[in-house]
Structure formats: C-alpha cells, structure tokens
Amino acid sequence: MFRRSLFGRMLTSFACLLLAAVIGFGATTSASAQDRRQNAPGEFDFYVLSLSWSPSFCEGAAERGNGGGRSQQLQCGGRPFSFVVHGLWPQYERGYPEYCDRDSWLDRNIMTSMLDLMPAPGLIFNEWKKHGTCSGLGPRGYFETIRKARAAVKIPPEFIDLANPKTVSPAEVEDAFIKINPGLPANAIAVTCNRSRLSEVRICMSKDLQFRGCDEVDRQACRRDQLTMPPVRGG
C-alpha cells in the first residue's frame, strides 16, 4: 500500500511538472514572438494622422477652468485655428507601440518649427516621446513626415473658417473629407467625439503616406447621431 501510494504521488508530481513546463514554454514562446515587435522602433504597420478640432479643445479647457499654461494659451489665444495636428501615430493592425525610447530628447528648434501645425509646445514634445520614437525616424525626419502627411490631406472648405457653431453627424464629416480627398476609403477615416463636441478626425495612412483602411481605428469612431463644432476662435 505504501509503495503504491508513493508511486502514485511520484507520477502525479511528474505530470504536474511536465504540464508546467509545457505551459511555461508556450507562454515564453508567445511572449518572445510579441516582444520581437512590441515597441521596437520602426516595426509597425501604418500611421494614424490625428487632426484635432481646436475650437472643441479650447471650449473644453475653458469649461474646466484650468489655465493650461503657455501651450494652451498659444492654441486658444487670438490666432484662429480650425483643424490642427494632434499627432502622427505608428499603429499595429491591433494596438500600437508607445514610448519606444524614453531617453530620447527633442531639440527646441525642431519644436518651434512645428508650431504652425501643432500650436502647443507641450504637445509636440509629448508626441515625439510617445509616438515619434516608435517611427524608426530621427526627430527631424519624424516631424518632416508629419508635415508631409498633413499636406496630403485636404480640409473641407466648410470647416476652414467656421464662423458659427455647426451641428453635424460623424457621417457628414467623414463624407466631406472623403469627397475632397480622392482615394480616401470610408474605412480609413474615423471621427471621435468628447461629450457632444467633435473632437478629432483620424485618417489612416501607409508608411509611404497613402490612404489605407484600418478596421480597428474605424470601429473606435464616435457613435453619437449629432455633434457640435464650435466656431473658429479669434481671427
């Protein structure tokens, strides 16, 4: 009886160790397959060009009552801004990399050169750290790519000098962009919202800045029926 019991416990222990080894090997293999790509600079599938509707950002900031510092004052002061660049984000087909080089720094001269498109110094620094370091490009190359991506997208004329609040549906905004940008497919653009305001228009582009579909980004679009576009400030 003792021998049988001891033998049984030995078999059970061996089986548990074998199972743990198999599971551990599978987990290690899976993690290794992911780690070879996750947050590796330049290893991504496409870009998302995010265009923020500046009046919505500024109205939200005013409601929160925070001064926002110099960055917010530059964007929400007297100069009229409509759509501004939030960022150009490397993406995977599912998910995205971020902070691929936390030790990287951005030269102040490069930052100031981008203020016409991204009118907030803090935003520019953050976009480089969080997204630009994952592009596989140096700082100058990354921001030159942002400028090229922005130049490749036409803004519908009805949004450029919006003088009064405008009520729109997300589909209407998408259709306006699709109409004026030949080759932009419906699944390559997504409108996002913050409460009842239009927040951003996100457009997916290949690494060579051609429009391309992006189902995951498209699924994250705003589902509200109607949105408000506050008017352009100042000006």
Side-chain angles (χ1 to χ4, degrees):
M1 178 69 70
F2 175 77
R3 287 182 179 178
R4 287 182 180 177
S5 178
L6 178 60
F7 183 68
R9 288 199 298 270
M10 289 174 64
L11 281 177
T12 301
S13 297
F14 177 75
C16 290
L17 287 171
L18 181 61
L19 179 61
V22 170
I23 293 174
F25 176 77
T28 301
T29 302
S30 175
S32 298
Q34 183 181 35
D35 290 347
R36 281 196 297 269
R37 180 173 161 98
Q38 183 68 36
N39 296 339
E43 297 294 326
F44 63 97
D45 297 314
F46 63 97
Y47 286 115
V48 171
L49 175 66
S50 178
L51 301 174
S52 172
W53 182 246
S54 182
S56 291
F57 167 79
C58 293
E59 278 204 2
E63 289 173 356
R64 292 190 296 271
N66 52 3
R70 180 170 175 267
S71 285
Q72 186 172 304
Q73 292 166 11
L74 284 174
Q75 182 170 346
C76 302
R79 182 177 172 183
F81 287 106
S82 53
F83 279 107
V84 299
V85 175
H86 180 175
L88 184 68
W89 306 334
Q91 298 279 134
Y92 305 131
E93 295 297 345
R94 292 188 176 183
Y96 53 88
E98 59 181 356
Y99 298 110
C100 295
D101 182 358
R102 292 181 179 272
D103 295 326
S104 180
W105 186 243
L106 180 64
D107 185 272
R108 186 174 183 83
N109 290 331
I110 297 177
M111 180 276 291
T112 56
S113 74
M114 294 301 297
L115 287 173
D116 60 322
L117 297 184
M118 307 171 72
L123 169 66
I124 296 170
F125 283 116
N126 182 71
E127 288 301 299
W128 167 248
K129 294 287 284 187
K130 185 173 183 179
H131 301 289
T133 56
C134 298
S135 67
L137 303 171
R140 193 169 300 279
Y142 173 67
F143 285 101
E144 286 176 353
T145 302
I146 288 182
R147 194 168 290 280
K148 290 176 183 177
R150 174 60 186 83
V153 176
K154 295 182 177 68
I155 303 298
E158 59 265 38
F159 302 145
I160 294 175
D161 296 311
L162 190 64
N164 298 297
K166 186 178 181 67
T167 300
V168 295
S169 69
E172 288 171 344
V173 177
E174 290 188 11
D175 288 345
F177 272 86
I178 291 170
K179 181 179 179 180
I180 201 171
N181 288 280
L184 178 63
N187 69 338
I189 180 171
V191 171
T192 68
C193 53
N194 183 0
R195 296 185 181 178
S196 62
R197 296 190 189 99
L198 185 146
S199 179
E200 295 184 350
V201 171
R202 296 175 178 174
I203 296 175
C204 298
M205 311 177 83
S206 63
K207 288 185 176 183
D208 61 354
L209 305 182
Q210 302 298 309
F211 300 134
R212 57 98 80 191
C214 49
D215 291 337
E216 184 180 64
V217 175
D218 191 46
R219 286 194 296 269
Q220 296 170 355
C222 178
R223 302 302 178 193
R224 299 181 72 93
D225 293 329
Q226 298 289 320
L227 299 172
T228 299
M229 296 181 70
V232 172
R233 301 164 67 89

